[in-house]
């Protein structure tokens, strides 16, 4: 039994597809109902803040995947992430299931050079401090021998179904609609992006290999490129002029006065006006996995989620 806590998000959906393709039994856990499209899928309601509900939902699990996403608000993160993580840890102890936590890279802060699994935590934001705390809590339990768990970390996403990604929302979708794109920060700085289908495949592989437990894995992600190269590549995919404007920090601060979601991105702006060089060589070598190239990823999206307007 593969149990997904926080089902319904982009990574959870991609993982579900991989599990189904491999004829695995899946339990989706969330507060809101999820349509069951296959005999191998069941859904159970649970609030991840409620230990008893999570425990009931996770009974019989072999692997538990924590893929939850919270509202992009540091106050909510401060209140809820420690509780969710502790509940997941306690449920893993109670059930004996392996635990795989899907994480981001906020805890590393501003890094000069490649970001690897060995990069020390040096958060430059409140959200980064929260992520560092819950990741440390999890790995401390691993070191103590209390659970078998691993952390799967990804760079910024692209290929999300709900456009919960700045590359999807501000560049790909804009060019698909023949509109001017927007770029967050400095277009001359390096950045890289993790393709959602690759995330589903990679987490599935971790779930299949108990020997991958008790360590941190960076999910397979193509090499970093200057922002302008992404803009040109995506514009070429859609056969439009690579017109764009760069979003400056003061603009986010201004719009954030009226939009809490935008306000939540201000403290993360350092990721976009400095080089962001996420490295996934460890996973690629261990699993002989080649990340989808950006060219192929953008082409796929132009034929599926982000088709060009007529």
């Amino acid at each position: 039994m593969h149990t997904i806590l926080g089902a319904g998000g982009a990574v959870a959906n991609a993982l579900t597809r991989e599990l189904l393709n491999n004829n695995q039994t899946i339990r989706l856990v969330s507060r809101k109902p999820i349509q069951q499209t296959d005999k191998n899928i069941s859904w159970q309601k649970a609030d991840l803040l409620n230990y008893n509900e999570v425990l009931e939902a996770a009974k019989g699990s072999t692997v538990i995947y924590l893929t939850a996403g919270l509202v992009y608000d540091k106050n909510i993160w401060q209140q809820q992430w420690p509780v969710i993580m502790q509940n997941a840890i306690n449920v893993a102890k109670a059930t004996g299931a392996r635990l795989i936590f899907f994480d981001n890279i906020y805890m590393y802060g501003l890094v000069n050079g490649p970001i690897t699994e060995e990069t020390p935590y040096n958060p430059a934001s409140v959200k980064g401090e929260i992520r560092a705390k819950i990741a440390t809590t999890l790995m401390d339990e691993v070191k103590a021998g209390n659970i078998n768990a691993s952390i799967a970390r990804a760079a910024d996403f692209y290929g999300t179904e709900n456009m919960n990604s700045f590359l999807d929302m501000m560049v790909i979708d804009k060019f698909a609609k023949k509109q001017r794109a927007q770029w967050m920060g400095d277009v001359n700085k390096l950045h890289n992006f993790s393709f959602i289908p690759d995330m589903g495949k990679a987490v599935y592989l971790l779930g299949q290999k108990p020997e991958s437990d008790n360590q941190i894995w960076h999910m397979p992600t193509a090499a970093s490129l200057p922002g302008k190269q992404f803009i040109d590549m995506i514009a070429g995919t859609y056969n439009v002029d690579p017109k764009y404007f760069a979003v400056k920090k003061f603009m986010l601060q201004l719009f954030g006065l009226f939009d809490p979601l935008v306000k939540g991105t201000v403290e993360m702006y350092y990721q976009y006006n400095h080089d962001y060089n996420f490295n996934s060589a460890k996973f690629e070598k261990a699993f002989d996995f080649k990340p989808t190239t950006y060219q192929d990823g953008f082409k796929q999206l132009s034929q599926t989620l982000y088709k060009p307007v007529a």
Side-chain angles (χ1 to χ4, degrees):
M1 172 71 73
H2 296 262
T3 298
I4 302 177
L5 303 180
V11 173
N13 290 343
L15 172 59
T16 300
R17 285 190 287 270
E18 287 300 315
L19 290 166
L20 279 180
N21 289 342
N22 289 276
N23 201 33
Q24 302 290 317
T25 303
I26 309 160
R27 181 179 296 143
L28 303 179
V29 180
S30 62
R31 287 182 300 178
K32 296 181 180 178
I34 296 176
Q35 186 175 0
Q36 300 167 44
T37 58
D38 190 278
K39 62 181 176 60
N40 285 344
I41 297 180
S42 62
W43 171 76
Q44 185 153 341
K45 181 178 181 179
D47 183 341
L48 299 188
L49 296 169
N50 185 311
Y51 171 72
N52 290 329
E53 290 184 5
V54 179
L55 178 60
E56 184 63 29
K59 285 181 178 178
S61 300
T62 306
V63 187
I64 298 171
Y65 306 87
L66 178 55
T67 63
L70 301 183
V71 174
Y72 207 65
D73 182 299
K74 60 187 178 184
N75 294 320
I76 291 175
W77 282 31
Q78 284 175 323
Q79 296 163 10
Q80 297 188 5
W81 263 123
V83 177
I84 291 171
M85 178 55 73
Q86 195 60 57
N87 284 345
I89 289 169
N90 291 342
V91 166
K93 289 179 181 178
T95 61
R98 299 165 56 216
L99 175 60
I100 299 174
F101 171 45
F102 196 92
D103 200 5
N104 61 31
I105 67 167
Y106 292 0
M107 72 296 300
Y108 296 130
L110 180 58
V111 180
N112 182 19
I115 305 168
T116 73
E117 291 88 347
E118 302 302 319
T119 299
Y121 295 171
N122 186 27
S125 64
V126 174
K127 295 189 190 70
E129 292 171 357
I130 296 163
R131 286 287 184 166
K133 179 181 178 181
I134 63 173
T136 300
T137 298
L138 177 60
M139 297 313 288
D140 281 350
E141 294 283 354
V142 165
K143 292 173 185 175
N146 296 328
I147 56 173
N148 289 311
S150 56
I151 296 178
R153 289 200 173 117
D156 285 343
F157 296 149
Y158 79 106
T160 58
E161 295 145 331
N162 58 0
M163 286 204 299
N164 191 19
S165 148
F166 103 75
L167 192 67
D168 291 341
M169 178 174 60
M170 299 171 66
V171 183
I172 299 174
D173 186 60
K174 294 294 185 183
F175 282 151
K177 294 175 179 176
K178 295 182 168 55
Q179 299 173 355
R180 184 170 60 159
Q182 303 160 16
W183 186 264
M184 190 81 79
D186 186 343
V187 296
N188 298 307
K189 298 299 183 182
L190 297 175
H191 210 92
N192 46 353
F193 298 89
S194 299
F195 191 39
I196 286 292
D198 284 354
M199 301 303 95
K201 293 173 184 176
V203 177
Y204 167 77
L205 290 174
L206 290 180
Q208 295 301 301
K209 293 186 177 294
E211 61 269 28
S212 70
D213 287 347
N214 305 328
Q215 55 190 305
I216 296 168
W217 294 94
H218 281 186
M219 297 290 87
T221 299
S224 57
L225 299 172
K228 185 62 168 62
Q229 195 166 335
F230 283 109
I231 292 168
D232 291 340
M233 196 184 306
I234 298 168
T237 300
Y238 288 94
N239 196 29
V240 297
D241 291 334
K243 296 180 179 179
Y244 72 94
F245 71 88
V247 177
K248 304 296 185 183
K249 187 174 183 178
F250 78 88
M251 298 170 67
L252 289 179
Q253 292 170 326
L254 179 61
F255 290 130
L257 296 174
F258 310 99
D259 187 332
L261 183 61
V262 175
K263 183 179 180 180
T265 67
V266 174
E267 68 168 352
M268 307 310 304
Y269 193 80
Y270 71 89
Q271 293 188 313
Y272 309 110
N273 64 354
H274 294 85
D275 284 341
Y276 175 116
N277 187 7
F278 181 81
N279 180 284
S280 58
K282 174 185 171 182
F283 186 96
E284 293 172 44
K285 181 179 180 181
F287 290 88
D288 191 24
F289 193 113
K290 298 298 181 186
T292 300
T293 66
Y294 295 118
Q295 293 91 335
D296 288 346
F298 299 146
K299 183 178 180 180
Q300 286 183 44
L301 293 177
S302 73
Q303 298 168 347
T304 53
L305 295 177
Y306 301 105
K307 295 180 180 180
V309 297

